[in-house]
Amino acid sequence: MLLIAVALTAGTLVTGAAKKVHTLGDSTMAPYDESATVTRGWGMYFGNFLTNGWKSINYAKGGRDSRGGYTELWQTAKKNVEAGDYVIITFAHNDEKNSGMDGYALKAYYEGIGDATAAAAVDLRGTVPSTTYKENLGKIVDEAKALGATPIICSPVCRSYFSGNTIQRNGRHDLGDNYKVLTEKGPVNGTKLAASDHTMDYAWHSEQLAKEKGVAFIDLTNATADLYESYGDAKCHEYLFDGDGSTHFNTTGALLVARECARLMKAQGILADDIVLPTDISVTPATGDFGEAYKGQTLTKEFTLNGFGLTPETGTVTITATDGILLSTNKTDWKSSLTANYAASTLVQTFYAQLTLTQNGETKGTITVSPQNGSTIEIPVSATAVVLEGGTEVKAYWRLEKDDSFTLDGPAVVIPETFQGMYVQRYSNPNANTIWPDWTGFEATRKTQRNLLTGDVWPADEIDDNPDRYIQWGIKPALGTELKIDAISLFVCGCGGNGMCCHVYYSVDGFETRTTMLEYKKMPANNMQFVETKPVISLKAGQELLVRVYPWYNGTASGKTICLSDLTIHGMAVDANSDGIKTIAQPQQLSAHSYDLQGRRCHSPHKGLCITRQTDGTVKKVIY
């Protein structure tokens, strides 16, 4: 029996290393933040099975179909792809939006008949399996080849949709039992297709494309169907999935799928000498780098023990840590040592390490994993305490009570609130009985910003965020300064029902990559949730910190809003120049390129700090 624990393992985007495997896919492959959710994507663990210096770089994101895979994910990935690299491509879950119709074609149809409301409500994701789906995948394949890389088409993992003891047809991404066709007169229901008819079968078409392009094909659809059926419906959901539906994995499920992909590649002779399927116990990650945080913060990091085909078939593993490091399997009970048992020659066990930064500079330690039979594994642990000092405090604050205005204290430039596929319905209290955290002291009638999606009706089949629907704010450094961000926070809740879901992310590279602040499924109505993170971010000239809220609803609904309040971005502005700030007692003629701290042009001398660009191109800060 597998040993299961609710799990978290961070997936990070690695760049710059030779010998890379790039993975492109949707939420079933994507990286997830260990502090925000128990959901895991199999791309997070694929690198566990690579050796001889190969690195796995995971570009997958939730909610992406094959079109987004090409226009967004591949455009980011190909900047790092070099000759000799491999590119694994897998999509279909979100290509099935609109029941097998193409989202852009559907929108164009409604625009063509003058139905602006219906056009605005169309989910632009979704492709036709035999045409636009294959075209999008094919463009990635062709461009990867042109870069000298080796593309691999991987059919999508199944959804655990059981009928008796077998995975249903739609769980295998074949919509032949229930699909739609876009005709000159609009969408119509398709005729049920015979089981042998693969017209609406995304997995089948991905295999046909691989044959047409002469590239390798990994059949993860049938492989995961076999895996799920070996467990059966109840145990499959209990052991492999995240507890929220039939699509997304927990650590065990993601790890087993990653291993299965590696096994199938090795069997086909793909990276055969560079893929290892260990039969002893290993730990992921192999080093415990907690990164940078602020003195006094308590940091938590996830580790996963895994082993398959272990000898003997049953055994015990002891985990210990040096002073200052505590361990847990549930993030509640913390101690200096743990014991994990395994059976059936298989071990999948997640544990957590906790470290509090009590001193400046670097803190080091060791976690030791000691199997009953086998070699001891030592995991080096390190973290660095950061102190912010020597600058000017910056605080950008959006109250979101009556409009989207903000206040700014300190030298920075605010990026105002914007909406993509969303709009403000009104500003009001969500409900006379709004529940705020006790520590706020806020009254139940405190007003918030209530937001709706364009078209007002939440689609029925959404299980992840829509990349074309979000609300955004941001901040960037004032001219001549570096902005160090140490806190981001806001309040969020759903109103009108308990089905509102959302992700809150931040990014410093225009959302090529992102960090999760919050994942919330089915928020209790009118119950304000406080979201806060304390990152270590240094924004230099030209960089922006963007914060986004991506909402969706659990089932079709109208009139349900996502309510937002009190967004705060806090940090410290420091001088970006080595020569510091020059103080002048008497005002003098300003440079033609002088600005105040908010980036506005100064046309006459005034008391205070001005930022000037000199004729030689250097930037100076001058106090008059």
Side-chain angles (χ1 to χ4, degrees):
M1 181 65 65
L2 292 178
L3 291 175
I4 311 296
V6 174
L8 300 164
T9 295
T12 47
L13 195 65
V14 188
T15 58
K19 301 171 70 173
K20 304 179 292 289
V21 179
H22 308 265
T23 57
L24 305 176
D26 53 38
S27 59
T28 60
M29 178 190 262
Y32 292 86
D33 188 274
E34 66 182 52
S35 63
T37 180
V38 301
T39 306
R40 296 291 175 269
W42 68 265
M44 297 170 64
Y45 301 97
F46 182 75
N48 291 16
F49 305 101
L50 296 177
T51 187
N52 297 329
W54 284 88
K55 300 287 186 182
S56 176
I57 309 177
N58 190 6
Y59 301 88
K61 284 185 180 179
R64 272 52 178 183
D65 63 355
S66 62
R67 180 181 280 109
Y70 175 73
T71 61
E72 179 188 356
L73 306 186
W74 173 242
Q75 303 311 311
T76 298
K78 71 180 181 181
K79 300 173 187 176
N80 302 315
V81 173
E82 299 175 316
D85 289 354
Y86 285 74
V87 181
I88 298 177
I89 310 158
T90 179
F91 293 94
H93 285 79
N94 299 296
D95 287 87
E96 297 165 22
K97 302 292 185 185
N98 302 307
S99 300
M101 297 181 292
D102 184 84
Y104 280 80
L106 184 59
K107 181 179 181 180
Y109 165 76
Y110 285 124
E111 290 175 338
I113 64 173
D115 191 339
T117 300
V122 170
D123 189 333
L124 292 176
R125 294 171 296 174
T127 59
V128 179
S130 61
T131 56
T132 47
Y133 173 67
K134 289 178 66 177
E135 291 164 8
N136 293 324
L137 297 183
K139 287 189 287 187
I140 300 174
V141 168
D142 291 343
E143 293 181 18
K145 283 184 173 181
L147 292 171
T150 300
I152 300 170
I153 295 178
C154 188
S155 66
V157 298
C158 287
R159 291 188 175 98
S160 54
Y161 293 169
F162 275 84
S163 176
N165 296 320
T166 61
I167 299 296
Q168 296 177 173
R169 188 177 188 181
N170 60 340
R172 295 171 178 264
H173 304 284
D174 182 351
L175 304 186
D177 288 341
N178 185 14
Y179 66 99
K180 291 183 179 179
V181 178
L182 182 59
T183 70
E184 293 181 355
K185 296 183 179 180
V188 297
N189 292 327
T191 303
K192 183 175 179 178
L193 303 175
S196 59
D197 188 330
H198 296 289
T199 301
M200 298 304 296
D201 186 341
Y202 289 86
W204 185 84
H205 282 290
S206 70
E207 182 176 14
Q208 302 315 299
L209 178 66
K211 292 177 180 177
E212 293 165 13
K213 296 289 185 180
V215 300
F217 174 72
I218 302 299
D219 188 357
L220 268 192
T221 305
N222 281 318
T224 50
D226 292 343
L227 175 66
Y228 301 171
E229 289 170 1
S230 72
Y231 280 81
D233 193 349
K235 289 184 178 180
C236 179
H237 282 87
E238 179 183 356
Y239 292 157
L240 306 183
F241 286 82
D242 66 355
D244 186 42
S246 302
T247 299
H248 298 118
F249 304 115
N250 61 16
T251 300
T252 301
L255 184 62
L256 289 175
V257 172
R259 187 178 192 275
E260 189 63 9
C261 182
R263 184 190 68 79
L264 291 171
M265 287 173 59
K266 191 176 182 74
Q268 292 189 33
I270 304 168
L271 290 174
D273 295 333
D274 303 302
I275 289 176
V276 58
L277 303 173
T279 57
D280 54 359
I281 293 172
S282 59
V283 184
T284 304
T287 59
D289 183 3
F290 284 76
E292 293 183 330
Y294 300 103
K295 183 180 177 181
Q297 276 189 266
T298 297
L299 306 177
T300 302
K301 191 172 186 65
E302 178 191 276
F303 298 85
T304 303
L305 294 173
N306 59 87
F308 306 91
L310 299 176
T311 302
E313 292 186 357
T314 60
T316 300
V317 178
T318 302
I319 310 163
T320 58
T322 52
D323 289 345
I325 302 172
L326 295 176
L327 306 171
S328 176
T329 57
N330 57 14
K331 294 200 292 186
T332 300
D333 303 313
W334 296 94
K335 56 189 73 174
S336 60
S337 65
L338 300 171
T339 299
N341 300 313
Y342 70 86
S345 298
T346 302
L347 169 64
V348 179
Q349 174 69 64
T350 297
F351 69 93
Y352 306 90
Q354 188 178 86
L355 177 65
T356 300
L357 297 180
T358 58
Q359 61 186 26
N360 293 337
E362 190 175 33
T363 297
K364 292 185 176 182
T366 303
I367 298 172
T368 302
V369 178
S370 304
Q372 182 179 345
N373 297 282
S375 302
T376 296
I377 302 170
E378 290 194 347
I379 307 166
V381 171
S382 63
T384 302
V386 177
V387 178
L388 284 185
E389 56 187 15
T392 302
E393 184 178 18
V394 170
K395 179 181 177 182
Y397 173 69
W398 288 260
R399 169 64 184 86
L400 304 179
E401 177 185 21
K402 58 182 179 180
D403 55 34
D404 60 1
S405 63
F406 59 86
T407 60
L408 174 64
D409 298 319
V413 178
V414 164
I415 300 168
E417 183 179 28
T418 55
F419 299 84
Q420 177 69 38
M422 300 283 298
Y423 72 95
V424 178
Q425 183 200 45
R426 64 182 184 273
Y427 292 88
S428 69
N429 60 298
N431 185 285
N433 296 315
T434 300
I435 301 171
W436 296 84
D438 291 340
W439 55 266
T440 64
F442 294 161
E443 298 292 333
T445 54
R446 181 181 173 87
K447 292 183 178 181
T448 66
Q449 184 186 76
R450 299 182 63 161
N451 301 286
L452 263 175
L453 77 168
T454 302
D456 295 354
V457 179
W458 298 93
D461 60 349
E462 294 193 318
I463 58 174
D464 206 336
D465 54 62
N466 184 328
D468 298 315
R469 183 196 308 137
Y470 58 84
I471 304 169
Q472 175 180 282
W473 309 260
I475 197 169
K476 60 184 179 181
L479 185 66
T481 68
E482 183 176 332
L483 185 56
K484 297 181 179 292
I485 304 297
D486 64 354
I488 308 168
S489 63
L490 73 155
F491 289 95
V492 59
C493 80
C495 300
N498 295 323
M500 186 62 67
C501 311
C502 79
H503 284 135
V504 182
Y505 305 110
Y506 71 82
S507 175
V508 296
D509 59 9
F511 272 84
E512 285 192 1
T513 61
R514 60 194 185 183
T515 299
T516 305
M517 291 176 57
L518 173 78
E519 177 185 82
Y520 214 115
K521 306 288 184 68
K522 305 174 187 176
M523 289 186 282
N526 310 316
N527 193 324
M528 276 293 182
Q529 307 297 316
F530 182 60
V531 186
E532 182 181 38
T533 188
K534 294 184 178 295
V536 177
I537 298 173
S538 292
L539 298 175
K540 300 184 184 301
Q543 281 191 297
E544 299 176 340
L545 168 72
L546 299 177
V547 180
R548 289 181 182 175
V549 175
Y550 284 82
W552 72 98
Y553 203 80
N554 182 38
T556 185
S558 59
K560 314 297 185 183
T561 58
I562 184 164
C563 302
L564 305 171
S565 182
D566 296 271
L567 172 70
T568 302
I569 303 174
H570 183 273
M572 189 83 71
V574 299
D575 186 10
N577 299 319
S578 59
D579 59 352
I581 298 175
K582 182 179 180 182
T583 300
I584 300 177
Q586 298 296 324
Q588 61 184 36
Q589 182 66 37
L590 286 175
S591 160
H593 302 289
S594 296
Y595 305 84
D596 66 15
L597 295 181
Q598 281 68 51
R600 297 171 295 204
R601 180 68 62 84
C602 297
H603 297 287
S604 61
H606 65 283
K607 289 185 177 181
L609 177 63
C610 281
I611 302 168
T612 66
R613 187 181 300 279
Q614 308 299 304
T615 56
D616 63 0
T618 61
V619 174
K620 305 286 186 182
K621 287 186 280 299
V622 179
I623 297 179
Y624 293 104

